[in-house]
């Protein structure tokens, strides 16, 4: 199996193709052990023998302009992916009653812990499987680049991980040398729920959001601030403000910081990940509860991905809005943050909205 990745940074009209033709990607024992290393990293939500942290060290690197939308074909490697037999599949083709029943059971389990006061917030994820015909994964990558110009789009295919496509809005850590930035991205609404007067997302006032969304975003913001202030010589925050991510809007706070000499990149990365945006608070307790009780293992969903060059240009993004692609099937993943006031049907509908980013590519 070819070891390769394609990625397109937000707002760019070119993409990068990477391939490792000699050997296999390195297996990295921990997030902190990425310190001082370079390459293209693909990390799972929780590293394990089945889903390790992978570091591709490419010997082929090409930067190319995106083809025009009418001619989005590109063939660096052949990869089979799923496309449903009907060219316009409905939700019913993949959003089955069994998936709702599994989610409802998980929700009841997770929500009980919230009402008992064991967590301030916890994230519940699920997957949905689409079975169908074969198509070209790279063509879907190109289509995603055109559909989602504001998102980080990547197609990753490695023997140990399988093939994944993602279009994600969330920066985990970006920058180089000592200058870095990250974000708190939490709180979700359907974009169409905003009135016409709120079309310019950045101008949407914070009080337009529900108390639940504001609280969820503040939990993530407070955690990141708690991690970064002691590590930084120059710490700046901006937000929260509203941003569009395809069919959804989120609350976002930006952080810019200068990493002080007595703190390492690997240490900061390991403290940040996973953030409460994909895990919960208290962090370690929420992580262990998710691993023990979530119906479906997340694998590489809600992990992170991107080029890693700590002394140059690093772009690590949280692996959201993604699907795993195999022979004749696609598994779509999504999740959402739960608080005491969360309800199962509303949260389930939110996961459907998030899955729409990848589902639209199967039409």
């Amino acid at each position: 199996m070819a070891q390769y990745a394609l990625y397109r940074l937000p707002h760019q009209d070119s993409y990068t193709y990477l391939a490792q033709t000699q050997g296999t990607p390195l297996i990295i024992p921990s997030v902190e052990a990425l310190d001082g290393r370079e390459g293209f990293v693909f990390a799972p939500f929780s590293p394990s023998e089945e889903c390790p942290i992978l570091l591709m060290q490419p010997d082929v690197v090409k930067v190319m302009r995106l083809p025009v939308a009418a001619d989005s074909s590109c063939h660096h490697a052949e990869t089979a992916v799923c496309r449903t037999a009907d060219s316009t599949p409905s939700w019913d083709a993949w959003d089955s009653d069994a998936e709702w029943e599994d989610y409802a059971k998980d929700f009841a389990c997770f929500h009980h812990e919230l009402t008992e006061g064991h967590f301030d917030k916890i994230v519940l994820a699920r997957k949905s499987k689409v079975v169908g015909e074969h198509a070209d994964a790279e063509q879907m990558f190109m289509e995603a680049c055109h559909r989602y110009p504001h998102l980080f789009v990547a197609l990753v295919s490695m023997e140990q991980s399988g093939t994944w496509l993602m279009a994600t809005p969330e920066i985990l850590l970006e920058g180089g040398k000592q200058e870095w930035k990250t974000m708190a991205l939490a709180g979700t609404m359907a974009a169409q729920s905003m009135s016409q007067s709120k079309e310019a997302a950045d101008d949407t006032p914070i009080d337009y959001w529900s108390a639940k969304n504001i609280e969820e975003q503040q939990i993530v913001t407070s955690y990141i601030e708690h991690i970064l202030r002691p590590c930084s010589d120059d710490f700046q925050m901006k937000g929260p403000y509203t941003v569009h991510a395809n069919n959804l809007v989120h609350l976002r706070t930006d952080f810019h910081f200068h990493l002080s000499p007595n703190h390492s990149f690997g240490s900061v990365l390991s403290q940040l990940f996973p953030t409460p945006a994909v895990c919960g608070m208290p962090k370690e307790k929420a992580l262990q509860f998710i691993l023990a009780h979530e119906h479906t293992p997340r694998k590489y969903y809600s992990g992170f991905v991107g080029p890693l060059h700590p002394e140059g240009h690093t772009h690590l993004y949280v692996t959201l809005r993604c699907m795993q692609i195999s022979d004749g099937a696609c598994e779509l993943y999504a999740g959402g943050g739960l608080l005491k006031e969360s309800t199962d049907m509303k949260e389930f509908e939110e996961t459907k909205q998030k899955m729409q980013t990848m589902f639209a590519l199967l039409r």
Side-chain angles (χ1 to χ4, degrees), residues 241-254:
Y241 60 98
T242 307
V243 292
H244 279 281
N246 187 33
N247 59 322
L248 300 172
V249 288
H250 303 287
L251 279 171
R252 169 174 164 174
T253 300
D254 295 329

Side-chain angles (χ1 to χ4, degrees), residues 8 10 148 150-154 165-172 183 185 245 303-305 316-322 357-358:
R8 196 285 317 270
Y148 311 127
H150 308 307
L151 306 183
F152 174 85
V153 181
L165 178 66
M166 65 219 65
T168 174
E170 185 173 352
I171 296 170
L172 177 61
M183 65 170 64
L185 192 73
F304 61 92
V305 61
L316 300 182
Y317 279 75
V318 182
T319 309
L320 305 177
R321 315 295 193 272
C322 68
T357 301
M358 288 290 104

Side-chain angles (χ1 to χ4, degrees), residues 195-212:
S195 67
Q196 198 67 25
S197 63
K198 308 298 183 186
E199 198 68 32
D202 288 358
D203 295 331
T204 303
I206 188 69
D207 58 11
Y208 188 77
W209 287 81
S210 69
K212 185 262 184 186

Side-chain angles (χ1 to χ4, degrees), residues 131-291:
V131 178
E133 298 178 352
H134 294 166
D136 190 330
E138 293 184 20
Q139 185 175 0
M140 294 174 71
F141 166 82
M142 298 298 169
E143 184 176 349
C145 289
H146 289 293
R147 278 180 177 266
Y148 311 127
H150 308 307
L151 306 183
F152 174 85
V153 181
L155 174 64
V156 181
S157 187
M158 303 187 203
E159 184 175 355
Q160 299 100 316
S161 67
T163 301
W164 292 73
L165 178 66
M166 65 219 65
T168 174
E170 185 173 352
I171 296 170
L172 177 61
L173 206 52
E174 192 169 58
K177 296 185 178 178
Q178 303 303 111
E179 300 296 330
W180 297 93
K181 65 180 180 180
T182 185
M183 65 170 64
L185 192 73
T188 302
M189 282 195 296
Q192 63 265 30
S193 69
M194 291 183 141
S195 67
Q196 198 67 25
S197 63
K198 308 298 183 186
E199 198 68 32
D202 288 358
D203 295 331
T204 303
I206 188 69
D207 58 11
Y208 188 77
W209 287 81
S210 69
K212 185 262 184 186
N213 280 301
I214 293 170
E215 181 183 356
E216 183 182 348
Q217 208 274 343
Q218 185 57 51
I219 289 171
V220 181
T221 297
S222 297
Y223 175 80
I224 294 176
E225 182 180 5
H226 173 75
I227 295 299
L228 294 183
R229 277 197 183 275
C231 303
S232 176
D233 293 335
D234 181 16
F235 177 83
Q236 300 176 36
M237 291 174 54
K238 174 193 173 184
Y241 60 98
T242 307
V243 292
H244 279 281
N246 187 33
N247 59 322
L248 300 172
V249 288
H250 303 287
L251 279 171
R252 169 174 164 174
T253 300
D254 295 329
F255 303 87
H256 291 78
F257 64 101
H258 183 276
L259 190 62
S260 59
N262 56 329
H263 290 87
S264 70
F265 165 83
S267 174
V268 172
L269 182 62
S270 67
Q271 291 181 75
L272 281 177
F273 181 78
T275 72
V278 297
C279 184
M281 284 296 288
K283 173 181 169 178
E284 188 57 35
K285 186 177 178 182
L287 174 62
Q288 295 307 316
F289 188 86
I290 289 168
L291 295 176

